[in-house]
Amino acid sequence: MPATRIEPMKSRKENIVRNFSNHVQTYHREAELQMEVAKRLGAALDPWKETLPEGPILELGAGTGFFTQEVRKLFPTRALEVTDICREMISLNQSGSDPSPDVSYKVMDAEVWTPDANRYSLVCASFVIQWFENPARTLMHYIRALKPGGLMLLSFPGSDTFREWKKQAVELGLPYTGHQFPDTEQLVIQLSESPVQIDFHEEARVLSYRNPIQFFRHIKSVGAGTPQKGTSLSATDFRLLCRHWGREKATEVTWHLVFMAIKRDFE
């Protein structure tokens, strides 16, 4: 049986926050895909800007500010609440933006905060909800926080992300220790219990790396190296995985990108 190291489950969120805190600068410099997705999410938001009800905007998991900047460009005079669980991320986000009395910054765990009902015209989160322990349950709270006619706009990596890594692990009989990303169909079914209309778009984006080591280093550099369910491969098994995967002509890794718009019905 492959050797694994087990970490206490209660520390998983703490580990996620610690990883992002320790890699704030490299995240902002190297998270090119996250920046691209934020710009695309901003382009998806543009057609909605004239139809949203009046009211403030809430951004969850704002990170270093890729999507924050898109929202500020589209809604320069709208009250905007920028939040993230990681203090270092919020600090860099705030320091990289022009001060505005309409923009506030808050360190907040989106999974435990209960927002006021019918408060926001827009709730948005770019590459965030995959870190929630129960994305559907958490998002339901924020759907209730939308005003009637309000919008929730999301982007996130879907369940087919890192399919190549999973394939290598299966071939070797090793556990896949990467993150388990949300299943789009299941999420839509769960969220449809609310009075909402949901549209989404999915696509596969393949990125190439020199070798598996470069891929794993990149994942670590953007703070996303927390093992799934607190387990990680032993050093021996990790080397075995990299050698086996390295026999491929190129180390290609698929990101399953999901863009989702959730509009709350008028009551």
Side-chain angles (χ1 to χ4, degrees), residues 175-218:
Y176 167 70
T177 57
H179 194 67
Q180 295 289 351
F181 296 95
D183 181 276
T184 309
E185 182 178 357
Q186 183 179 24
L187 185 63
V188 168
I189 291 172
Q190 292 171 315
L191 295 180
S192 295
E193 296 177 6
S194 298
V196 294
Q197 302 173 40
I198 302 177
D199 292 315
F200 63 91
H201 167 74
E202 299 178 279
E203 64 182 67
R205 178 68 183 280
V206 179
L207 300 182
S208 295
Y209 300 87
R210 288 193 305 272
N211 51 50
I213 293 294
Q214 187 198 22
F215 163 66
F216 287 117
R217 284 176 177 167
H218 172 74

Side-chain angles (χ1 to χ4, degrees), residues 17-26 86 88 220-221 223:
V17 175
R18 186 182 305 112
N19 281 335
F20 279 110
S21 297
N22 291 339
H23 296 90
V24 169
Q25 296 296 334
T26 53
C86 177
E88 290 78 7
K220 184 176 181 180
S221 74

Side-chain angles (χ1 to χ4, degrees), residues 50-71:
E50 303 299 334
T51 62
L52 291 180
E54 292 298 320
I57 296 170
L58 173 65
E59 183 181 6
L60 304 174
T64 60
F66 295 147
F67 190 61
T68 308
Q69 298 305 315
E70 301 300 315
V71 175

Side-chain angles (χ1 to χ4, degrees), residues 1 27 30 34 56 109 112 115 117 119-120 124 126 142 184 243:
M1 178 179 293
Y27 177 93
E30 298 185 22
Q34 288 84 340
D109 183 348
V112 300
R119 171 173 171 78
Y120 297 102
C124 47
S126 184
Y142 292 98
T184 309
R243 284 199 302 271

Side-chain angles (χ1 to χ4, degrees), residues 162-169 176-178 215-216 241 245:
F162 301 161
R163 66 173 74 155
E164 296 84 358
W165 179 0
K166 296 172 186 175
K167 173 177 176 290
Q168 299 298 322
Y176 167 70
T177 57
F215 163 66
F216 287 117
L241 173 66
W245 196 351

